[in-house]
């Protein structure tokens, strides 16, 4: 009872972002329905993930984020230790070692790493705002970002590595990174990327793993790499075949891409393809709209945050949802090479789902402590 009274004095229920909770829950429920249609065996676990996620979100939303940020270096250390444990003791499946097998459940530290890095950077950058543009500090921050990114790439998980690095750099920019430094980086980075892209496309070069090279070439020349392109090409077909209203959830049509098993593991990275086929263009618009609203609410909460660290947390979580959603949908619709990234709140995966709910819980706490005029 005393805890409830303390929370009541500290927070005002009117500041709790009910719309954010509704959007997150609605999107996850849509995901559960589509997952059940794609592969019914995974639906029950995803429902449990929603329940666990909601509990974690509510609990975290009532924890003062400033108190959590006091342990930012400990969070960073936990992040690195978790990623190292994967490399030494991780569970290997499909040629990648990305999970720690806890017997009861498999845990993917790289998913939690995204949230922990946003929290760490929010704390570090807000405390060192006056010096973040000094050359030595820029190098230090980049190294701190690269350490977990490189460990994730070593799993190998290049797509998550790119998302993590992209989100961290955006948070750094939002913290006040000098436009001059950004210009220098872009001025040198774009030509360097062009050279790197040339070497990637040069047959015989060993810059990427073989499967990563095949994914890129299958995207550029699907007719020459049919074994590597079939999944993405079938995904495009599935999205287009749904037309305006879709074929309906749990349909048994013989011409369904999903029913014909033309997309492997449709409940994970290609869940948006099943959404397009069964819920149609309108269903896809609903999913994209909910993702967009979630991002915008996070940004709005960030603009009302009482301090710099709260602002960066809300912006960072919103950026993570936006960037990962963009990459996933681009892959499913053929605008990018296959990356293997889940669609936030929609794809099957308990680690991804629960960690995202926890991240949203922190954003909700930022909203509960908004700046008052």
């Amino acid at each position: 009872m005393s805890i409830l009274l303390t929370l009541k004095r500290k927070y005002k229920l009117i500041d709790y972002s009910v719309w954010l909770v509704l959007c997150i829950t609605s999107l996850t429920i849509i995901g559960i329905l589509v997952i059940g249609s794609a592969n019914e065996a995974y639906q029950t676990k995803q429902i449990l993930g929603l329940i666990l996620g909601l509990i974690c979100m509510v609990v975290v939303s009532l924890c003062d984020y400033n108190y959590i940020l006091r342990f930012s270096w400990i969070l960073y250390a936990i992040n690195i230790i978790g990623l190292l444990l994967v490399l030494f003791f991780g569970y290997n499946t499909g040629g990648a070692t990305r999970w720690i097998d806890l017997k009861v459940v498999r845990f993917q530290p790289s998913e939690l790493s995204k949230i922990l890095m946003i929290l760490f950077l929010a704390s570090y950058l807000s405390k060192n705002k006056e010096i973040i543009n000094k050359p030595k500090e820029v190098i230090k921050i980049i190294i701190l970002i690269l350490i977990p990114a490189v460990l994730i790439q070593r799993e190998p998980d290049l797509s998550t590595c790119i998302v993590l690095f992209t989100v961290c750099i955006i948070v750094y920019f939002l913290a006040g990174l000098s436009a001059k430094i950004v210009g220098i980086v872009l001025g040198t980075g774009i030509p360097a990327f062009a050279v790197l892209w040339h070497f990637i496309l040069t047959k015989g070069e060993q810059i990427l793993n073989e499967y990563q090279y095949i994914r890129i070439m299958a995207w550029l020349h699907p007719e020459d790499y049919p074994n590597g392109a079939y999944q993405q090409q079938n995904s495009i077909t599935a999205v287009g075949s749904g037309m305006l209203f879709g074929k309906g959830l749990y349909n048994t049509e013989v011409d369904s891409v999903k029913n014909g098993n033309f997309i492997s593991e449709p409940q994970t990275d290609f869940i948006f393809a099943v959404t397009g086929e069964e819920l149609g263009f309108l269903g896809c618009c609903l999913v994209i709209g909910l993702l967009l609203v979630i991002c915008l609410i996070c940004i709005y909460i960030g603009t009302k945050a009482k301090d710099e660290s709260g602002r960066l947390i809300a912006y960072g979580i919103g950026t993570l949802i936006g960037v990962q959603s963009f990459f996933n949908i681009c892959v499913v619709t053929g605008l990018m090479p296959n990356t293997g990234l889940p669609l936030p709140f929609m794809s099957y995966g308990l680690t991804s789902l629960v960690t995202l709910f926890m991240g949203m819980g922190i954003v909700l706490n930022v909203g509960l402590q908004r700046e008052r005029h």
Side-chain angles (χ1 to χ4, degrees):
M1 183 64 71
S2 60
I3 296 175
L4 292 175
L5 291 174
T6 301
L7 293 173
K8 186 177 180 180
R9 285 195 297 268
K10 187 170 184 178
Y11 304 129
K12 291 185 177 181
L13 187 60
I14 194 173
D15 291 329
Y16 207 88
S17 182
V18 177
W19 282 110
L20 181 58
V21 176
L22 287 175
C23 288
I24 296 168
T25 306
S26 298
L27 187 60
T28 307
I29 290 173
I30 294 173
I32 289 171
L33 293 173
V34 179
I35 287 170
S37 183
N39 193 329
E40 191 175 358
Y42 294 95
Q43 191 174 44
T44 301
K45 287 185 178 180
Q46 195 73 352
I47 293 173
L48 293 175
L50 169 60
I51 296 170
L52 179 60
L54 285 171
I55 294 171
C56 290
M57 181 179 69
V58 172
V59 172
V60 172
S61 70
L62 299 177
C63 298
D64 189 342
Y65 69 89
N66 283 302
Y67 180 78
I68 296 174
L69 295 184
R70 291 181 189 178
F71 307 98
S72 59
W73 280 103
I74 295 177
L75 295 177
Y76 185 82
I78 291 173
N79 181 24
I80 302 304
I81 291 170
L83 294 174
L84 285 172
L85 286 174
V86 171
L87 295 182
F88 289 102
F89 307 104
Y91 177 85
N92 186 289
T93 179
T97 306
R98 301 173 185 174
W99 295 268
I100 296 176
D101 193 347
L102 302 176
K103 302 303 180 181
V104 179
V105 66
R106 284 189 300 169
F107 175 70
Q108 192 172 355
S110 59
E111 292 296 326
L112 181 60
S113 180
K114 303 169 191 176
I115 305 297
L116 293 181
M117 280 304 295
I118 291 171
L119 294 177
F120 171 75
L121 287 175
S123 175
Y124 186 87
L125 294 172
S126 60
K127 290 178 181 177
N128 299 279
K129 191 171 180 64
E130 302 302 321
I131 60 172
I132 61 174
N133 286 306
K134 292 185 177 181
K136 288 185 178 179
E137 194 65 20
V138 172
I139 294 172
K140 179 181 178 181
I141 293 170
I142 294 299
I143 291 174
L144 288 170
I145 295 172
L146 281 175
I147 291 173
V150 170
L151 289 175
I152 292 172
Q153 194 280 328
R154 291 287 297 171
E155 293 181 359
D157 192 354
L158 181 60
S159 54
T160 300
C161 168
I162 292 172
V163 168
L164 177 71
F165 189 79
T166 301
V167 171
C168 288
I169 292 300
I170 292 174
V171 171
Y172 190 7
F173 173 75
L174 293 172
L177 182 63
S178 170
K180 182 179 179 180
I181 295 177
V182 175
I184 293 173
V185 172
L186 290 176
T188 56
I190 293 176
F193 178 78
V195 173
L196 178 63
W197 186 254
H198 170 74
F199 278 106
I200 288 174
L201 298 183
T202 302
K203 193 171 184 179
E205 294 294 336
Q206 298 298 318
I207 296 175
L208 298 176
N209 291 327
E210 183 179 1
Y211 83 93
Q212 294 168 338
Y213 173 79
I214 291 176
R215 282 183 176 182
I216 292 175
M217 296 309 295
W219 173 61
L220 293 172
H221 306 289
E223 66 282 355
D224 297 329
Y225 295 84
N227 291 333
Y230 80 95
Q231 174 131 308
Q232 196 167 31
Q233 293 301 307
N234 289 337
S235 170
I236 296 170
T237 301
V239 173
S241 68
M243 295 188 284
L244 185 61
F245 298 105
K247 299 174 181 177
L249 289 170
Y250 311 103
N251 75 79
T252 56
E253 294 185 19
V254 293
D255 62 342
S256 168
V257 175
K258 178 212 68 179
N259 293 335
N261 294 319
F262 294 114
I263 300 176
S264 60
E265 303 294 331
Q267 73 278 0
T268 55
D269 307 335
F270 284 86
I271 194 68
F272 192 75
V274 182
T275 304
E277 182 174 58
E278 304 205 335
L279 300 181
F281 177 76
L282 293 180
C284 289
C285 287
L286 176 60
V287 169
I288 294 173
L290 286 170
L291 288 166
L292 178 60
V293 170
I294 291 170
C295 294
L296 292 176
I297 293 176
C298 288
I299 292 171
Y300 175 77
I301 289 175
T303 62
K304 301 295 181 181
K306 68 175 184 179
D307 54 29
E308 180 70 2
S309 58
R311 183 178 74 91
L312 293 178
I313 288 173
Y315 286 171
I317 300 295
T319 299
L320 172 61
I321 301 300
V323 169
Q324 190 160 311
S325 299
F326 177 79
F327 282 6
N328 178 277
I329 294 173
C330 281
V331 168
V332 170
T333 55
L335 298 177
M336 287 177 61
N338 191 356
T339 59
L341 283 170
L343 184 62
F345 302 108
M346 285 283 292
S347 295
Y348 170 76
L350 298 188
T351 304
S352 174
L353 185 61
V354 174
T355 53
L356 283 174
F357 268 96
M358 291 172 63
M360 286 298 161
I362 300 173
V363 173
L364 287 168
N365 186 259
V366 173
L368 282 173
Q369 302 188 63
R370 67 179 60 187
E371 185 179 29
R372 304 187 187 282
H373 300 284

